[in-house]
């Protein structure tokens, strides 16, 4: 009983602490941001906070926001306002994934450059951006497969040949596990595990998980496995048994 009482007191104190931090902060709305529909928040190598929204990209310097919006007459601006993902690559470059393509932002020029993955599908939605062990950028798209941007040559390489079912080509999330395998997740109940040689990816195993739908994120935890966040809860993958629980 005493232990339960002590635990309850600790929880209550933590709640009060969290509440005090919450009420002492400031709420930023569409009066400060280009939109209050937030898609992604990241911090870059300089400490700037980047906020991707349904309508526009925003950068916070600790005092105020700078907004980046499409200007069709200016090719150095981002040409799509619907931001999907943001990836700070280094102190020179930041990548922005949008509903209609990928953009490379230069800190030096404060300008954007559009990166075309395939000319016949110039306006493809970009979902996921991660870095491989060679520091190249891997790109997951909505229905068009996965690509690699070689950061040394600037060339684009397609990583997969594509599946017959368009849904299977939807790379909503890309994730490298602790064993070096590349995982693909999307809005379905399937998880695919790939072996990557740096040029292509080869499907190793497909897991069709029961009683779930919509996989949001994969998170590394330790050397024993990783977590999968889905619409109905959390699963853990174990490296030793190759099973989800």
């Amino acid at each position: 009983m005493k232990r339960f009482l002590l635990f309850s007191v600790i929880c209550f104190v933590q709640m009060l602490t969290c509440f005090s931090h919450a009420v002492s902060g400031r709420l930023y709305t569409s009066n400060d941001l280009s939109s209050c529909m937030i898609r992604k928040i990241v911090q870059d190598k300089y400490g700037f906070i980047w906020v991707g929204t349904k309508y526009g990209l925003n950068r916070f310097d600790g005092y105020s926001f700078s907004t980046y919006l499409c200007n069709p007459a200016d090719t150095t601006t981002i040409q799509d306002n619907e931001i999907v993902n943001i990836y700070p690559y280094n102190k020179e470059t930041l990548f922005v994934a949008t509903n209609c393509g990928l953009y490379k932002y230069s800190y030096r020029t404060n300008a954007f450059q559009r990166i075309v993955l395939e000319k016949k599908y110039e306006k493809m939605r970009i979902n996921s951006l991660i870095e491989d062990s060679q520091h190249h950028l891997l790109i997951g798209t909505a229905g068009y497969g996965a690509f690699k941007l070689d950061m040394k040559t600037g060339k684009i390489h397609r990583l997969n040949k594509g599946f017959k079912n368009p849904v299977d080509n939807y790379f909503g999330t890309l994730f490298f596990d602790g064993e070096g395998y590349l995982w693909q997740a999307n809005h379905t109940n399937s998880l695919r595990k790939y072996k990557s040689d740096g040029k292509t990816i080869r499907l190793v195993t497909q897991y069709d998980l029961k009683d779930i739908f919509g996989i949001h994120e994969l998170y590394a935890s330790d050397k024993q496995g990783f977590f999968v966040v889905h619409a109905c809860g959390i699963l853990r993958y174990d490296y030793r048994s190759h099973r989800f629980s």
Side-chain angles (χ1 to χ4, degrees), residues 35-93:
S35 170
C36 59
M37 296 183 67
I38 310 299
R39 291 288 182 81
K40 188 75 175 183
I41 300 176
V42 300
Q43 186 172 22
D44 67 15
K45 313 294 183 180
Y46 292 102
F48 293 120
I49 304 296
W50 292 83
V51 183
T53 74
K54 179 75 173 178
Y55 184 78
L57 179 67
N58 306 265
R59 187 180 75 176
F60 185 63
D61 61 6
Y63 299 97
S64 61
F65 282 96
S66 298
T67 301
Y68 298 86
L69 293 171
C70 170
N71 180 358
D74 186 357
T75 57
T76 65
T77 65
I78 196 164
Q79 294 298 298
D80 182 25
N81 287 325
E82 187 171 348
I83 310 302
V84 180
N85 209 334
I86 308 168
Y87 187 80
Y89 181 75
N90 56 27
K91 288 189 175 182
E92 299 175 358
T93 305

